[in-house]
mmCIF file of all heavy atoms in Angstrom:
data_model
loop_
_atom_site.group_PDB
_atom_site.id
_atom_site.type_symbol
_atom_site.label_atom_id
_atom_site.label_comp_id
_atom_site.label_asym_id
_atom_site.label_seq_id
_atom_site.Cartn_x
_atom_site.Cartn_y
_atom_site.Cartn_z
ATOM 1 N N GLY A 936 78.971 -83.908 -115.525
ATOM 2 C CA GLY A 936 77.940 -84.933 -115.430
ATOM 3 C C GLY A 936 76.716 -84.470 -114.649
ATOM 4 O O GLY A 936 75.721 -85.161 -114.591
ATOM 5 N N ASN A 937 76.790 -83.280 -114.031
ATOM 6 C CA ASN A 937 75.648 -82.737 -113.286
ATOM 7 C C ASN A 937 74.641 -82.034 -114.189
ATOM 8 O O ASN A 937 73.589 -81.630 -113.714
ATOM 9 C CB ASN A 937 76.114 -81.713 -112.249
ATOM 10 C CG ASN A 937 76.387 -82.331 -110.902
ATOM 11 O OD1 ASN A 937 76.395 -83.534 -110.748
ATOM 12 N ND2 ASN A 937 76.626 -81.498 -109.925
ATOM 13 N N SER A 938 74.954 -81.850 -115.445
ATOM 14 C CA SER A 938 74.040 -81.145 -116.341
ATOM 15 C C SER A 938 72.667 -81.773 -116.277
ATOM 16 O O SER A 938 72.518 -82.996 -116.309
ATOM 17 C CB SER A 938 74.554 -81.184 -117.776
ATOM 18 O OG SER A 938 75.742 -80.450 -117.868
ATOM 19 N N GLY A 939 71.660 -80.934 -116.160
ATOM 20 C CA GLY A 939 70.290 -81.403 -116.035
ATOM 21 C C GLY A 939 69.865 -81.593 -114.596
ATOM 22 O O GLY A 939 68.695 -81.809 -114.318
ATOM 23 N N GLY A 940 70.807 -81.485 -113.666
ATOM 24 C CA GLY A 940 70.487 -81.598 -112.242
ATOM 25 C C GLY A 940 69.870 -80.302 -111.723
ATOM 26 O O GLY A 940 69.959 -79.255 -112.355
ATOM 27 N N GLY A 941 69.248 -80.388 -110.565
ATOM 28 C CA GLY A 941 68.523 -79.246 -110.029
ATOM 29 C C GLY A 941 69.353 -78.306 -109.178
ATOM 30 O O GLY A 941 70.327 -78.701 -108.551
ATOM 31 N N LEU A 942 68.934 -77.033 -109.180
ATOM 32 C CA LEU A 942 69.460 -76.001 -108.296
ATOM 33 C C LEU A 942 68.339 -75.667 -107.317
ATOM 34 O O LEU A 942 67.238 -75.295 -107.736
ATOM 35 C CB LEU A 942 69.859 -74.747 -109.078
ATOM 36 C CG LEU A 942 70.337 -73.574 -108.225
ATOM 37 C CD1 LEU A 942 71.671 -73.897 -107.565
ATOM 38 C CD2 LEU A 942 70.455 -72.318 -109.076
ATOM 39 N N PHE A 943 68.618 -75.815 -106.037
ATOM 40 C CA PHE A 943 67.602 -75.639 -105.004
ATOM 41 C C PHE A 943 67.991 -74.522 -104.041
ATOM 42 O O PHE A 943 69.175 -74.335 -103.752
ATOM 43 C CB PHE A 943 67.422 -76.935 -104.209
ATOM 44 C CG PHE A 943 66.917 -78.073 -105.037
ATOM 45 C CD1 PHE A 943 67.783 -78.874 -105.758
ATOM 46 C CD2 PHE A 943 65.559 -78.336 -105.107
ATOM 47 C CE1 PHE A 943 67.311 -79.918 -106.530
ATOM 48 C CE2 PHE A 943 65.072 -79.378 -105.879
ATOM 49 C CZ PHE A 943 65.956 -80.176 -106.595
ATOM 50 N N VAL A 944 66.996 -73.798 -103.562
ATOM 51 C CA VAL A 944 67.173 -72.811 -102.500
ATOM 52 C C VAL A 944 66.057 -73.028 -101.477
ATOM 53 O O VAL A 944 65.056 -73.683 -101.762
ATOM 54 C CB VAL A 944 67.148 -71.355 -103.020
ATOM 55 C CG1 VAL A 944 68.290 -71.097 -103.988
ATOM 56 C CG2 VAL A 944 65.820 -71.010 -103.651
ATOM 57 N N PHE A 945 66.249 -72.462 -100.303
ATOM 58 C CA PHE A 945 65.260 -72.589 -99.234
ATOM 59 C C PHE A 945 64.324 -71.390 -99.295
ATOM 60 O O PHE A 945 64.760 -70.257 -99.167
ATOM 61 C CB PHE A 945 65.979 -72.650 -97.876
ATOM 62 C CG PHE A 945 65.118 -73.156 -96.774
ATOM 63 C CD1 PHE A 945 64.770 -74.499 -96.696
ATOM 64 C CD2 PHE A 945 64.639 -72.299 -95.799
ATOM 65 C CE1 PHE A 945 63.978 -74.980 -95.674
ATOM 66 C CE2 PHE A 945 63.845 -72.760 -94.765
ATOM 67 C CZ PHE A 945 63.516 -74.103 -94.700
ATOM 68 N N GLN A 946 63.047 -71.632 -99.559
ATOM 69 C CA GLN A 946 62.031 -70.574 -99.636
ATOM 70 C C GLN A 946 60.764 -71.058 -98.943
ATOM 71 O O GLN A 946 60.376 -72.213 -99.111
ATOM 72 C CB GLN A 946 61.680 -70.227 -101.096
ATOM 73 C CG GLN A 946 62.753 -69.544 -101.867
ATOM 74 C CD GLN A 946 62.345 -69.290 -103.323
ATOM 75 O OE1 GLN A 946 61.317 -69.749 -103.810
ATOM 76 N NE2 GLN A 946 63.186 -68.564 -104.030
ATOM 77 N N ASP A 947 60.145 -70.181 -98.216
ATOM 78 C CA ASP A 947 58.853 -70.492 -97.575
ATOM 79 C C ASP A 947 58.891 -71.791 -96.767
ATOM 80 O O ASP A 947 57.963 -72.597 -96.816
ATOM 81 C CB ASP A 947 57.731 -70.560 -98.619
ATOM 82 C CG ASP A 947 57.558 -69.252 -99.364
ATOM 83 O OD1 ASP A 947 57.714 -68.182 -98.732
ATOM 84 O OD2 ASP A 947 57.275 -69.290 -100.573
ATOM 85 N N GLY A 948 60.001 -72.018 -96.051
ATOM 86 C CA GLY A 948 60.089 -73.165 -95.159
ATOM 87 C C GLY A 948 60.384 -74.502 -95.810
ATOM 88 O O GLY A 948 60.246 -75.540 -95.177
ATOM 89 N N ARG A 949 60.793 -74.494 -97.080
ATOM 90 C CA ARG A 949 61.118 -75.753 -97.757
ATOM 91 C C ARG A 949 62.103 -75.494 -98.890
ATOM 92 O O ARG A 949 62.288 -74.352 -99.332
ATOM 93 C CB ARG A 949 59.865 -76.407 -98.311
ATOM 94 C CG ARG A 949 59.171 -75.540 -99.351
ATOM 95 C CD ARG A 949 57.872 -76.124 -99.798
ATOM 96 N NE ARG A 949 57.217 -75.179 -100.687
ATOM 97 C CZ ARG A 949 56.182 -75.465 -101.414
ATOM 98 N NH1 ARG A 949 55.662 -76.664 -101.366
ATOM 99 N NH2 ARG A 949 55.634 -74.559 -102.189
ATOM 100 N N TYR A 950 62.732 -76.563 -99.347
ATOM 101 C CA TYR A 950 63.638 -76.450 -100.490
ATOM 102 C C TYR A 950 62.819 -76.528 -101.770
ATOM 103 O O TYR A 950 61.948 -77.387 -101.912
ATOM 104 C CB TYR A 950 64.696 -77.558 -100.459
ATOM 105 C CG TYR A 950 65.704 -77.325 -99.371
ATOM 106 C CD1 TYR A 950 65.571 -77.932 -98.135
ATOM 107 C CD2 TYR A 950 66.764 -76.456 -99.573
ATOM 108 C CE1 TYR A 950 66.476 -77.698 -97.118
ATOM 109 C CE2 TYR A 950 67.677 -76.208 -98.568
ATOM 110 C CZ TYR A 950 67.525 -76.825 -97.346
ATOM 111 O OH TYR A 950 68.428 -76.576 -96.344
ATOM 112 N N VAL A 951 63.119 -75.606 -102.689
ATOM 113 C CA VAL A 951 62.386 -75.548 -103.953
ATOM 114 C C VAL A 951 63.371 -75.502 -105.119
ATOM 115 O O VAL A 951 64.495 -75.019 -104.987
ATOM 116 C CB VAL A 951 61.442 -74.315 -104.003
ATOM 117 C CG1 VAL A 951 60.343 -74.433 -102.969
ATOM 118 C CG2 VAL A 951 62.206 -73.021 -103.823
ATOM 119 N N LEU A 952 62.925 -75.999 -106.241
ATOM 120 C CA LEU A 952 63.718 -75.987 -107.470
ATOM 121 C C LEU A 952 63.636 -74.605 -108.100
ATOM 122 O O LEU A 952 62.538 -74.086 -108.314
ATOM 123 C CB LEU A 952 63.166 -77.035 -108.442
ATOM 124 C CG LEU A 952 63.859 -77.141 -109.784
ATOM 125 C CD1 LEU A 952 65.238 -77.742 -109.626
ATOM 126 C CD2 LEU A 952 63.015 -77.994 -110.729
ATOM 127 N N VAL A 953 64.797 -74.013 -108.416
ATOM 128 C CA VAL A 953 64.797 -72.699 -109.067
ATOM 129 C C VAL A 953 65.556 -72.700 -110.385
ATOM 130 O O VAL A 953 65.494 -71.732 -111.139
ATOM 131 C CB VAL A 953 65.359 -71.595 -108.142
ATOM 132 C CG1 VAL A 953 64.448 -71.373 -106.952
ATOM 133 C CG2 VAL A 953 66.780 -71.894 -107.701
ATOM 134 N N GLY A 954 66.291 -73.786 -110.675
ATOM 135 C CA GLY A 954 67.035 -73.820 -111.922
ATOM 136 C C GLY A 954 67.537 -75.213 -112.237
ATOM 137 O O GLY A 954 67.485 -76.117 -111.407
ATOM 138 N N ILE A 955 68.022 -75.352 -113.466
ATOM 139 C CA ILE A 955 68.576 -76.618 -113.949
ATOM 140 C C ILE A 955 70.001 -76.349 -114.431
ATOM 141 O O ILE A 955 70.233 -75.411 -115.200
ATOM 142 C CB ILE A 955 67.739 -77.186 -115.125
ATOM 143 C CG1 ILE A 955 66.285 -77.424 -114.692
ATOM 144 C CG2 ILE A 955 68.370 -78.448 -115.681
ATOM 145 C CD1 ILE A 955 66.102 -78.488 -113.648
ATOM 146 N N ALA A 956 70.950 -77.182 -113.978
ATOM 147 C CA ALA A 956 72.356 -77.013 -114.361
ATOM 148 C C ALA A 956 72.490 -77.030 -115.877
ATOM 149 O O ALA A 956 71.981 -77.924 -116.548
ATOM 150 C CB ALA A 956 73.204 -78.113 -113.729
ATOM 151 N N SER A 957 73.192 -76.021 -116.389
ATOM 152 C CA SER A 957 73.291 -75.879 -117.827
ATOM 153 C C SER A 957 74.731 -75.828 -118.335
ATOM 154 O O SER A 957 75.075 -76.483 -119.298
ATOM 155 C CB SER A 957 72.549 -74.620 -118.268
ATOM 156 O OG SER A 957 72.632 -74.454 -119.644
ATOM 157 N N PHE A 958 75.592 -75.034 -117.695
ATOM 158 C CA PHE A 958 76.960 -74.912 -118.203
ATOM 159 C C PHE A 958 77.940 -74.499 -117.105
ATOM 160 O O PHE A 958 77.557 -73.977 -116.074
ATOM 161 C CB PHE A 958 77.037 -73.900 -119.351
ATOM 162 C CG PHE A 958 76.700 -72.495 -118.947
ATOM 163 C CD1 PHE A 958 77.680 -71.640 -118.461
ATOM 164 C CD2 PHE A 958 75.404 -72.011 -119.054
ATOM 165 C CE1 PHE A 958 77.361 -70.344 -118.084
ATOM 166 C CE2 PHE A 958 75.082 -70.721 -118.689
ATOM 167 C CZ PHE A 958 76.063 -69.886 -118.204
ATOM 168 N N VAL A 959 79.210 -74.764 -117.390
ATOM 169 C CA VAL A 959 80.314 -74.358 -116.522
ATOM 170 C C VAL A 959 81.364 -73.720 -117.406
ATOM 171 O O VAL A 959 81.727 -74.273 -118.449
ATOM 172 C CB VAL A 959 80.932 -75.573 -115.795
ATOM 173 C CG1 VAL A 959 82.153 -75.161 -115.004
ATOM 174 C CG2 VAL A 959 79.921 -76.243 -114.907
ATOM 175 N N LEU A 960 81.830 -72.554 -117.012
ATOM 176 C CA LEU A 960 82.954 -71.911 -117.692
ATOM 177 C C LEU A 960 84.145 -72.011 -116.754
ATOM 178 O O LEU A 960 84.145 -71.417 -115.674
ATOM 179 C CB LEU A 960 82.657 -70.439 -117.988
ATOM 180 C CG LEU A 960 81.459 -70.144 -118.877
ATOM 181 C CD1 LEU A 960 81.215 -68.650 -118.973
ATOM 182 C CD2 LEU A 960 81.674 -70.736 -120.260
ATOM 183 N N ASN A 961 85.146 -72.785 -117.142
ATOM 184 C CA ASN A 961 86.307 -72.946 -116.274
ATOM 185 C C ASN A 961 87.242 -71.758 -116.349
ATOM 186 O O ASN A 961 87.970 -71.484 -115.417
ATOM 187 C CB ASN A 961 87.068 -74.221 -116.625
ATOM 188 C CG ASN A 961 86.287 -75.440 -116.196
ATOM 189 O OD1 ASN A 961 85.635 -75.425 -115.170
ATOM 190 N ND2 ASN A 961 86.344 -76.486 -116.996
ATOM 191 N N SER A 962 87.224 -71.047 -117.448
ATOM 192 C CA SER A 962 88.056 -69.864 -117.576
ATOM 193 C C SER A 962 87.407 -68.923 -118.576
ATOM 194 O O SER A 962 86.969 -69.339 -119.640
ATOM 195 C CB SER A 962 89.455 -70.232 -118.064
ATOM 196 O OG SER A 962 90.232 -69.076 -118.222
ATOM 197 N N TYR A 963 87.339 -67.679 -118.204
ATOM 198 C CA TYR A 963 86.798 -66.665 -119.103
ATOM 199 C C TYR A 963 87.874 -65.619 -119.293
ATOM 200 O O TYR A 963 88.125 -64.792 -118.414
ATOM 201 C CB TYR A 963 85.531 -66.051 -118.517
ATOM 202 C CG TYR A 963 84.913 -64.992 -119.394
ATOM 203 C CD1 TYR A 963 84.244 -65.352 -120.552
ATOM 204 C CD2 TYR A 963 85.024 -63.652 -119.076
ATOM 205 C CE1 TYR A 963 83.684 -64.396 -121.377
ATOM 206 C CE2 TYR A 963 84.463 -62.687 -119.888
ATOM 207 C CZ TYR A 963 83.804 -63.062 -121.033
ATOM 208 O OH TYR A 963 83.256 -62.106 -121.855
ATOM 209 N N ARG A 964 88.557 -65.706 -120.416
ATOM 210 C CA ARG A 964 89.647 -64.786 -120.725
ATOM 211 C C ARG A 964 90.704 -64.772 -119.625
ATOM 212 O O ARG A 964 91.310 -63.757 -119.336
ATOM 213 C CB ARG A 964 89.112 -63.386 -120.972
ATOM 214 C CG ARG A 964 88.187 -63.311 -122.163
ATOM 215 C CD ARG A 964 87.707 -61.913 -122.413
ATOM 216 N NE ARG A 964 86.744 -61.945 -123.494
ATOM 217 C CZ ARG A 964 85.974 -60.930 -123.801
ATOM 218 N NH1 ARG A 964 86.052 -59.822 -123.123
ATOM 219 N NH2 ARG A 964 85.127 -61.031 -124.792
ATOM 220 N N GLY A 965 90.842 -65.916 -118.964
ATOM 221 C CA GLY A 965 91.868 -66.039 -117.945
ATOM 222 C C GLY A 965 91.583 -65.296 -116.656
ATOM 223 O O GLY A 965 92.440 -65.184 -115.790
ATOM 224 N N VAL A 966 90.354 -64.778 -116.489
ATOM 225 C CA VAL A 966 90.042 -63.962 -115.316
ATOM 226 C C VAL A 966 89.199 -64.719 -114.298
ATOM 227 O O VAL A 966 89.522 -64.753 -113.122
ATOM 228 C CB VAL A 966 89.321 -62.666 -115.738
ATOM 229 C CG1 VAL A 966 88.939 -61.852 -114.522
ATOM 230 C CG2 VAL A 966 90.190 -61.848 -116.674
ATOM 231 N N VAL A 967 88.094 -65.309 -114.728
ATOM 232 C CA VAL A 967 87.171 -65.972 -113.810
ATOM 233 C C VAL A 967 87.540 -67.450 -113.723
ATOM 234 O O VAL A 967 87.539 -68.143 -114.734
ATOM 235 C CB VAL A 967 85.711 -65.820 -114.298
ATOM 236 C CG1 VAL A 967 84.748 -66.527 -113.360
ATOM 237 C CG2 VAL A 967 85.362 -64.347 -114.404
ATOM 238 N N PRO A 968 87.857 -67.955 -112.521
ATOM 239 C CA PRO A 968 88.290 -69.347 -112.425
ATOM 240 C C PRO A 968 87.173 -70.367 -112.607
ATOM 241 O O PRO A 968 87.428 -71.454 -113.056
ATOM 242 C CB PRO A 968 88.875 -69.440 -111.019
ATOM 243 C CG PRO A 968 88.240 -68.334 -110.265
ATOM 244 C CD PRO A 968 87.929 -67.256 -111.254
ATOM 245 N N HIS A 969 85.934 -70.018 -112.271
ATOM 246 C CA HIS A 969 84.859 -71.010 -112.365
ATOM 247 C C HIS A 969 83.506 -70.295 -112.299
ATOM 248 O O HIS A 969 83.204 -69.646 -111.314
ATOM 249 C CB HIS A 969 84.974 -71.993 -111.201
ATOM 250 C CG HIS A 969 84.338 -73.310 -111.475
ATOM 251 N ND1 HIS A 969 84.945 -74.279 -112.244
ATOM 252 C CD2 HIS A 969 83.161 -73.827 -111.095
ATOM 253 C CE1 HIS A 969 84.176 -75.338 -112.302
ATOM 254 N NE2 HIS A 969 83.078 -75.088 -111.623
ATOM 255 N N VAL A 970 82.701 -70.431 -113.338
ATOM 256 C CA VAL A 970 81.371 -69.828 -113.377
ATOM 257 C C VAL A 970 80.377 -70.939 -113.681
ATOM 258 O O VAL A 970 80.577 -71.726 -114.603
ATOM 259 C CB VAL A 970 81.273 -68.734 -114.461
ATOM 260 C CG1 VAL A 970 79.852 -68.229 -114.588
ATOM 261 C CG2 VAL A 970 82.218 -67.589 -114.156
ATOM 262 N N ASN A 971 79.302 -71.014 -112.880
ATOM 263 C CA ASN A 971 78.295 -72.053 -113.052
ATOM 264 C C ASN A 971 76.969 -71.410 -113.425
ATOM 265 O O ASN A 971 76.493 -70.527 -112.723
ATOM 266 C CB ASN A 971 78.138 -72.838 -111.742
ATOM 267 C CG ASN A 971 79.465 -73.377 -111.284
ATOM 268 O OD1 ASN A 971 80.041 -74.218 -111.945
ATOM 269 N ND2 ASN A 971 79.975 -72.870 -110.187
ATOM 270 N N GLY A 972 76.377 -71.860 -114.521
ATOM 271 C CA GLY A 972 75.128 -71.270 -114.990
ATOM 272 C C GLY A 972 73.979 -72.256 -114.960
ATOM 273 O O GLY A 972 74.143 -73.434 -115.306
ATOM 274 N N PHE A 973 72.831 -71.765 -114.542
ATOM 275 C CA PHE A 973 71.617 -72.572 -114.446
ATOM 276 C C PHE A 973 70.494 -71.866 -115.173
ATOM 277 O O PHE A 973 70.296 -70.664 -114.995
ATOM 278 C CB PHE A 973 71.211 -72.748 -112.971
ATOM 279 C CG PHE A 973 72.248 -73.440 -112.158
ATOM 280 C CD1 PHE A 973 73.330 -72.746 -111.647
ATOM 281 C CD2 PHE A 973 72.149 -74.798 -111.927
ATOM 282 C CE1 PHE A 973 74.308 -73.387 -110.914
ATOM 283 C CE2 PHE A 973 73.118 -75.451 -111.186
ATOM 284 C CZ PHE A 973 74.204 -74.739 -110.682
ATOM 285 N N VAL A 974 69.756 -72.596 -115.982
ATOM 286 C CA VAL A 974 68.576 -72.023 -116.623
ATOM 287 C C VAL A 974 67.497 -71.931 -115.548
ATOM 288 O O VAL A 974 67.183 -72.917 -114.882
ATOM 289 C CB VAL A 974 68.095 -72.895 -117.795
ATOM 290 C CG1 VAL A 974 66.818 -72.328 -118.399
ATOM 291 C CG2 VAL A 974 69.180 -73.027 -118.843
ATOM 292 N N ALA A 975 66.968 -70.736 -115.356
ATOM 293 C CA ALA A 975 65.946 -70.507 -114.337
ATOM 294 C C ALA A 975 64.646 -71.215 -114.710
ATOM 295 O O ALA A 975 64.302 -71.336 -115.893
ATOM 296 C CB ALA A 975 65.690 -69.017 -114.172
ATOM 297 N N THR A 976 63.930 -71.687 -113.699
ATOM 298 C CA THR A 976 62.677 -72.391 -113.950
ATOM 299 C C THR A 976 61.662 -71.503 -114.660
ATOM 300 O O THR A 976 60.837 -71.999 -115.427
ATOM 301 C CB THR A 976 62.085 -72.949 -112.645
ATOM 302 O OG1 THR A 976 62.000 -71.904 -111.680
ATOM 303 C CG2 THR A 976 62.926 -74.081 -112.109
ATOM 304 N N ASP A 977 61.718 -70.187 -114.450
ATOM 305 C CA ASP A 977 60.825 -69.267 -115.171
ATOM 306 C C ASP A 977 61.019 -69.390 -116.679
ATOM 307 O O ASP A 977 60.059 -69.399 -117.438
ATOM 308 C CB ASP A 977 61.082 -67.811 -114.754
ATOM 309 C CG ASP A 977 60.672 -67.524 -113.327
ATOM 310 O OD1 ASP A 977 60.094 -68.416 -112.668
ATOM 311 O OD2 ASP A 977 60.919 -66.402 -112.876
#
């Protein structure tokens, strides 16, 4: 339900938007337990 929500980091003394929640991979070939991907604002 977070899809479309913002990804923020602290830069230049303030929080800035750097990405938008796009996908979650709960399992990748049984190796990676959780991967979160964000489309970069660029």
Side-chain angles (χ1 to χ4, degrees):
N937 268 9
S938 294
L942 176 68
F943 297 86
V944 298
F945 196 73
Q946 291 178 352
D947 300 323
R949 62 185 175 168
Y950 288 96
V951 294
L952 179 70
V953 294
I955 301 294
S957 180
F958 64 88
V959 175
L960 300 175
N961 288 324
S962 178
Y963 180 74
R964 297 182 185 168
V966 177
V967 179
H969 204 79
V970 174
N971 305 294
F973 299 82
V974 177
T976 52
D977 292 355

